[in-house]
């Protein structure tokens, strides 16, 4: 039996430090920049810009990045930048974490959910177009924005999504919170649309303890976001406000952690790939367990969380029974995101569904994938799964 209470619990994706973080934090204290701006914030933004501005086909991107207090704040400010207001509709991938959709409601707008296609588990381009046409027919106006998501770091069919978005002239806000370092045809996920969201929460690819960033098209857009992220203060000697602003800027301490993390970002991504490769090899021999992998060779996921589907007929037990066995063996696993159109808070929101995300939700599990997961852990996890088969 795989029960082993002496073993340290293996978690999905635990934060992992480079050792450089304290140096930058110490610098912030030494220079008294213990505020939501400062040298670490500027340097971290610079690191992020270098990271996302990939070169493909001889073209180097020139996106700007603004560091914020959370990925959720980045989604919110992206919507503010796109002029989303009360009464508007915003199309959002249904198969995601609530933070992709909740800021639509902060703006008084209505999310319209679109289901996934089975290859990437991300927004189904055909269903997206159906939804756009139907919203225009029903409401007489176009949705104000489209939010595709890179779920578990898997690239979406972004070329197809962008083609539809451009044809209907609707801006795209990419939620790449889980897709840090994922590429599509050699270009970083989060750089295809008007704006792109990054997250540095404790369990993401890199962390600032809590934090996020918004990828912006140019300096002008970045300045505009900065204005809204710092309480929308007009340039007066006193406090003058002509717009509703937010307190969403990243602190100089958190940015210090981010700078340290950027020194090992490539190692983290390589490790997640190693873990995915390990699982892929192991699960070839375990009938009923399928690793979710990129459906196309031009998609390069970061494998933030490796996910599997459990076929209860072939495997003998279902995903929830397997989750409990893993839990008893001190291995954390978790069901997939419950689709937004199935959530009580969104029961009245329009939804265009095809059954894909609901079916996946009933068979899928996330497995430990983070930088602290060792080969010894992986052997133990795979053995525990193999022994759970009935
Ligand atoms: C984590 C996450 C966010 C929000 O990021 P925070 O930094 O936690 O606010 C948004 N969207 C998705 C898909 C996420 O996984």
């Amino acid at each position: 039996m795989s029960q082993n209470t002496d073993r340290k619990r293996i978690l999905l994706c635990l934060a992992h430090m480079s050792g450089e973080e304290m140096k930058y934090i110490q610098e912030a204290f030494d220079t008294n920049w213990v505020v939501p701006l400062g040298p670490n914030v500027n340097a971290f933004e610079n690191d992020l810009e270098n990271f996302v501005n990939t070169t493909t086909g001889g073209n180097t991107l020139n996106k700007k990045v603004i560091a914020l207090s959370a990925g959720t704040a980045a989604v919110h400010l992206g919507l503010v930048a796109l002029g989303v207001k009360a009464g508007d509709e915003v199309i959002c991938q249904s198969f995601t974490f609530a933070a992709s959709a909740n800021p639509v409601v902060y703006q008084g707008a209505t999310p319209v959910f679109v289901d996934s296609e089975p290859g990437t588990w991300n927004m189904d381009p055909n269903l997206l177009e159906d939804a756009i046409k139907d919203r225009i027919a029903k409401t007489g106006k176009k949705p104000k924005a489209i939010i595709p998501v890179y779920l578990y770091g898997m690239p979406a069919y972004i070329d197809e999504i962008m083609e539809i978005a451009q044809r209907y002239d609707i801006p795209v806000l990419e939620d790449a919170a889980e897709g840090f370092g994922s590429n599509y045809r050699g270009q970083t996920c989060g750089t295809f649309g008007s704006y792109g969201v990054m997250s540095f929460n404790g369990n993401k690819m890199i962390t600032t303890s809590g934090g996020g960033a918004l990828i912006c098209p140019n300096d002008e857009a970045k300045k505009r976001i900065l204005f809204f992220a710092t309480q929308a203060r007009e340039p007066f000697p006193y406090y003058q406000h002509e717009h509703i602003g937010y307190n969403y800027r990243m602190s100089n301490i958190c940015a210090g952690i981010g700078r340290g993390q950027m020194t090992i970002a490539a190692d983290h991504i390589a490790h997640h790939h190693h873990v995915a490769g390990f699982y892929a090899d192991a699960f070839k021999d375990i009938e009923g367990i399928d690793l979710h992998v990129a459906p196309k060779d031009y998609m390069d996921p970061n494998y933030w969380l490796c996910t599997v589907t459990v076929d209860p007929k072939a495997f003998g037990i279902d995903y929830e029974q397997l989750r409990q066995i893993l839990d008893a063996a001190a291995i954390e696993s978790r069901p997939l995101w419950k689709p937004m159109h199935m959530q009580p808070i969104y029961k009245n929101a329009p939804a265009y569904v095809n059954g894909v995300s609901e079916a996946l939700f009933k068979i899928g599990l996330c497995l430990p994938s983070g930088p602290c997961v060792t080969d010894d852990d992986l052997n133990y996890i795979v053995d525990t799964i193999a022994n759970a088969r009935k």
Side-chain angles (χ1 to χ4, degrees), residues 158-364:
I158 195 66
D159 274 351
E160 288 79 355
I161 292 168
M162 288 306 299
E163 188 276 319
I164 295 162
Q166 277 155 9
R167 194 144 38 80
Y168 288 89
D169 194 24
I170 303 171
V172 170
L173 167 60
E174 297 162 84
D175 184 345
E178 301 178 4
F180 178 92
S182 297
N183 292 297
Y184 176 98
R185 297 190 194 278
Q187 184 176 334
T188 306
C189 294
T191 62
F192 290 84
S194 302
Y195 292 92
V197 170
M198 306 175 102
S199 167
F200 315 116
N201 207 347
N203 54 354
K204 296 283 162 75
M205 286 300 281
I206 63 163
T207 187
T208 58
S209 70
L214 191 65
I215 303 170
C216 306
N218 51 41
D219 260 325
E220 200 188 338
K222 179 173 168 176
K223 273 198 197 103
R224 188 87 186 132
I225 300 293
L226 180 62
F227 170 77
F228 283 107
T230 53
Q231 307 287 24
R233 285 177 58 190
E234 301 293 339
F236 289 84
Y238 47 87
Y239 281 71
Q240 167 94 356
H241 300 284
E242 297 169 14
H243 297 271
I244 296 293
Y246 306 89
N247 181 9
Y248 279 170
R249 194 71 165 127
M250 180 177 281
S251 94
N252 198 49
I253 302 296
C254 293
I257 305 174
R259 287 180 78 185
Q261 290 277 287
M262 286 306 281
T263 66
I264 44 164
D267 299 341
H268 281 190
I269 295 165
H271 186 266
H272 283 257
H273 274 262
H274 167 72
V275 172
F278 194 106
Y279 283 137
D281 278 347
F283 296 152
K284 268 193 221 125
D285 303 326
I286 306 181
E287 209 195 326
I289 299 286
D290 265 309
L291 185 72
H292 177 42
V293 294
K296 300 284 180 194
D297 57 11
Y298 55 82
M299 295 178 177
D300 176 22
N302 61 14
Y303 290 107
W304 167 56
L305 290 185
C306 293
T307 53
V308 290
T309 50
V310 183
D311 176 349
K313 283 212 186 77
F315 192 66
I317 59 172
D318 73 7
Y319 80 104
E320 176 54 23
Q321 290 166 306
L322 177 58
R323 191 190 67 77
Q324 287 175 21
I325 289 170
L326 292 171
D327 187 55
I331 299 164
E332 183 185 25
S333 66
R334 192 187 295 151
L336 304 182
W337 297 120
K338 184 173 181 177
M340 289 305 111
H341 70 270
M342 296 171 75
Q343 297 287 355
I345 46 171
Y346 289 125
K347 65 178 187 295
N348 296 322
Y352 296 81
V353 298
N354 55 17
V356 169
S357 63
E358 288 192 39
L360 287 168
F361 175 60
K362 289 180 193 141
I363 56 170

